[in-house]
Amino acid sequence: MAKLTKRQFLSVAGTTAAASLALRDGVAHAEPAGSWDLIVVGGGTAGIPAAIFAAQRGAKVLILEAAGALGGTLYLSSAQLSAAGTKLQEEKGIEDTPEEHFADIMKISKNTGNQDIIRLAVFNAAATFDWLMDSGLELLPDMPTIAYGHDPYSKPRYAWAPKMGIDVLNVMMGQLQPHIDSQQVEVMLQTRATALIQDESGSVTGVESVDADGVARQHIAQSVVLTSGGYSANDKLFEELEGNKRYCNCTYPMSQGHGLSLGVSAGGYIRGMEHHLPLFGAVLTSDDYPSGKLTTHRPWPPHNPPLGIFINTEGERFMAEDVPSHDAHEQALLGQTDERCWLVWDDEMLQNPEYALYFSRRFDREKLKEAFDNGTAFFDKADSLPELGQLAGFDGDKAVATLAEYNRGQSSGSDRFGRKHMPLPLAKAPFYAVRLQSWQLVTFAGIAVNDKLEVIRRDGQPVPGLYAAGEVIGAGATMGRSYCGGMQVTPAITFGRMLGQDIIPLKT
Ligand SMILES: Cc1cc2nc3c(=O)[nH]c(=O)nc-3n(C[C@H](O)[C@H](O)[C@H](O)COP(=O)(O)OP(=O)(O)OC[C@H]3O[C@@H](n4cnc5c(N)ncnc54)[C@H](O)[C@@H]3O)c2cc1C
């Protein structure tokens, strides 16, 4: 099988994204088109392992995939995995248990996640990780590690491959391809699921689909699994369920939330809206949302102590900028008007190479200076704070008092928010502001499932024949209102694997 690349994805996804906004708009009468043991709706991170493991049990599987290729978000994802009790940890002498992984997630998420779902994920993560490794996944040499992109775990249980999601996808495709070749698994590309078929008792008995030519079909199945991803590319649903604008366009275009609509249509319900949490600090390319992202400010104060201060739309500070927690930054931004703030520096901070400035994508001091000089969007500079506020969009008059208060705290060593790292006052004009906006790679609400991954009704009863895994169950299910490293990709693959391997009762 030829290896997949990110470039290939870019050529296929663009052709199908526009077609996937409304599920049944203009769909003609669907013709019967075969019957299956299992239909997988969405051949991505969770759907591929569901198909592999069901096929291994002898099931006839149909994968309906809206895009022009299998893979889903793995084309973009860093696919950083987290698993405790793996063979790799054992080889490296790292003692770790799923119980400790669970405790770390509870700590980071402040007990906001779904404990049953999180337990199911972490207690089965090592088997998933070991399967990927046994199937040929090659990781970077220093894995597993404790990484600091999110609040860190207490043990090295975080790991990723050089080409990240692409490597994971290629390994899983290596396992799927023989089942496609033997016709145990049929894949229908550029074919989106438009409706679930139910019998009189409410059991799900199949799926209707429409292909790129508008041909509508009915597929009959014993069981259906929704693995169609989240809704991070659907402006309307995002606003409805996340309660905020989709500011940044940085996710898989097919993440349109179809599985949520399908699940609800069959009697399920959506939960987890309260878990919405933005990532901190994107510098967007424009105010035309969803916009591109130029760079990101992701301070991790133990290693990257901040210099400037964060000012909100009202011209006020709202946190100790040196708090050593991404989560604290994310939760603080959540409470601010339009989920944005400005990082404000003075001239000494920008010019003096003794002090580091923390932006991603090689946005170093020279590039930052260039952005201020060129008037790049959201990089503003002015001789006074009222002027800067006017240019940038915050209350500059209020910011004058805010700055004076910060400088008093800086010189006395006693900051109102308890900030400790204050090497410099903000005193030397010109002043600079970079607008930092919330952004999201995942969506938090999803279709409700029980601990057998059955889609459930509000009364807790399962919708017979219908299962779900991956981001369609909501990132909040596995992370609560927080970001826990690896707790999207690993649970997606784990749940897909478990559904195919033994949860779904296949009658073959
Ligand atoms: C840039 C980025 C980096 C990330 N990094 C990490 C990370 O390091 N670690 C981590 O744990 N998580 C990470 N995540 C999140 C994680 O990658 C996703 O949550 C996960 O891959 C989603 O898997 P999924 O199977 O639910 O959806 P997907 O992998 O997106 O698969 C869904 C599939 O369903 C298809 N589909 C959609 N609608 C239909 C329909 N109606 N009919 C048929 N098919 C349909 C889609 O085309 C797609 O192929 C990242 C996300 C992004 C965007």
Side-chain angles (χ1 to χ4, degrees):
M1 187 197 63
K3 296 260 183 212
L4 294 159
T5 63
K6 198 170 263 197
R7 188 178 296 274
Q8 256 172 306
F9 144 67
L10 291 171
S11 67
V12 293
T15 59
T16 48
S20 65
L21 282 168
L23 282 186
R24 294 197 76 184
D25 282 3
V27 172
H29 177 67
E31 294 299 330
S35 67
W36 309 87
D37 298 317
L38 175 65
I39 295 177
V40 175
V41 177
T45 318
I48 293 172
I52 293 169
F53 282 91
Q56 280 179 9
R57 281 165 74 196
K60 294 282 278 179
V61 182
L62 172 64
I63 303 179
L64 296 172
E65 172 48 58
L70 297 178
T73 302
L74 285 177
Y75 284 102
L76 302 179
S77 180
S78 309
Q80 292 174 310
L81 307 164
S82 61
T86 63
K87 288 195 255 178
L88 182 65
Q89 283 180 315
E90 198 183 335
E91 276 164 30
K92 298 207 169 183
I94 300 162
E95 283 180 27
D96 194 13
T97 62
E99 202 56 67
E100 289 168 274
H101 192 182
F102 179 80
D104 277 351
I105 293 168
M106 287 300 117
K107 185 172 162 212
I108 294 169
S109 71
K110 300 181 194 71
N111 297 317
T112 53
N114 180 316
Q115 300 204 9
D116 291 340
I117 301 291
I118 294 171
R119 278 193 179 278
L120 192 69
V122 299
F123 277 82
N124 292 284
T128 299
F129 187 88
D130 291 346
W131 169 66
L132 288 170
M133 297 297 284
D134 292 345
S135 304
L137 185 64
E138 288 180 22
L139 303 172
L140 288 170
D142 50 348
M143 301 285 135
T145 183
I146 295 180
Y148 297 91
H150 302 292
D151 279 9
Y153 290 130
S154 57
K155 295 274 177 77
R157 65 170 76 98
Y158 204 27
W160 57 95
K163 290 197 200 129
M164 308 193 124
I166 295 286
D167 283 345
V168 172
L169 176 57
N170 277 315
V171 163
M172 293 208 294
M173 286 305 293
Q175 296 294 312
L176 181 64
Q177 195 60 48
H179 299 297
I180 297 175
D181 295 343
S182 68
Q183 299 180 346
Q184 195 78 26
V185 174
E186 181 170 339
V187 180
M188 298 181 82
L189 297 176
Q190 292 198 287
T191 303
R192 73 193 147 91
T194 51
L196 295 175
I197 305 167
Q198 286 175 284
D199 65 15
E200 279 170 9
S201 72
S203 295
V204 171
T205 56
V207 182
E208 288 188 13
S209 73
V210 65
D211 70 13
D213 298 323
V215 176
R217 296 187 180 88
Q218 280 193 346
H219 317 270
I220 302 306
Q222 287 172 29
S223 304
V224 173
V225 56
L226 302 174
T227 48
S228 49
Y231 50 88
S232 57
N234 182 327
D235 294 349
K236 196 160 169 278
L237 206 54
F238 187 98
E239 210 158 328
E240 205 176 304
L241 297 178
E242 298 293 313
N244 211 334
K245 288 193 179 58
R246 186 165 86 92
Y247 287 108
C248 187
N249 185 8
C250 46
T251 59
Y252 191 59
M254 307 308 289
S255 301
Q256 295 289 338
H258 289 177
L260 281 77
S261 313
L262 292 170
V264 168
S265 75
Y269 70 99
I270 295 171
R271 67 183 177 195
M273 280 84 94
E274 72 281 10
H275 293 315
H276 162 74
L277 185 68
L279 287 165
F280 192 85
V283 183
L284 301 180
T285 52
S286 86
D287 257 337
D288 187 8
Y289 311 131
S291 134
K293 181 162 73 68
L294 189 62
T295 179
T296 320
H297 180 56
R298 293 276 282 160
W300 172 246
H303 308 157
N304 313 338
L307 278 181
I309 57 174
F310 299 141
I311 282 187
N312 63 15
T313 306
E314 291 73 32
E316 291 168 341
R317 281 177 71 217
F318 53 92
M319 67 181 292
E321 292 85 352
D322 64 347
V323 61
S325 159
H326 291 298
D327 186 63
H329 283 77
E330 290 152 359
Q331 305 280 354
L333 191 63
L334 181 62
Q336 305 313 313
T337 305
D338 298 326
E339 287 185 352
R340 70 173 60 127
C341 68
W342 286 260
L343 172 57
V344 176
W345 291 315
D346 77 345
D347 201 45
E348 174 69 10
M349 292 171 178
L350 184 69
Q351 305 296 345
N352 190 339
E354 210 180 294
Y355 301 102
L357 311 164
Y358 299 103
F359 283 82
S360 62
R361 292 211 197 160
R362 292 180 287 282
F363 233 77
D364 59 12
R365 188 178 309 273
E366 289 319 305
K367 257 191 148 174
L368 286 164
K369 281 188 198 166
E370 243 174 70
F372 287 116
D373 287 344
N374 298 342
T376 302
F378 311 125
F379 290 82
D380 292 296
K381 126 175 162 181
D383 285 330
S384 72
L385 274 186
E387 229 183 310
L388 187 64
Q390 195 153 32
L391 285 173
F394 61 82
D395 183 338
D397 294 330
K398 187 72 207 281
V400 173
T402 300
L403 196 87
E405 187 195 43
Y406 174 77
N407 285 341
R408 277 196 300 277
Q410 191 270 338
S411 70
S412 69
S414 167
D415 177 59
R416 174 180 162 213
F417 292 94
R419 176 168 165 174
K420 300 280 179 293
H421 183 82
M422 299 182 283
L424 296 169
L426 277 90
K428 189 175 167 202
F431 296 97
Y432 303 86
V434 188
R435 199 181 87 182
L436 305 178
Q437 183 64 56
S438 62
W439 59 300
Q440 274 176 244
L441 291 174
V442 296
T443 43
F444 284 86
I447 202 79
V449 290
N450 61 18
D451 61 3
K452 291 188 194 123
L453 304 169
E454 295 166 308
V455 171
I456 51 172
R457 305 177 200 279
R458 280 197 188 275
D459 63 7
Q461 289 304 309
V463 177
L466 189 61
Y467 301 81
E471 210 177 303
V472 72
I473 69 168
T478 50
M479 306 195 297
R481 199 172 84 180
S482 75
Y483 290 91
C484 299
M487 280 306 287
Q488 281 301 291
V489 168
T490 330
I493 301 175
T494 300
F495 292 167
R497 174 181 68 74
M498 293 175 74
L499 283 164
Q501 202 163 35
D502 51 27
I503 294 181
I504 297 179
L506 298 169
K507 289 184 210 122
T508 49

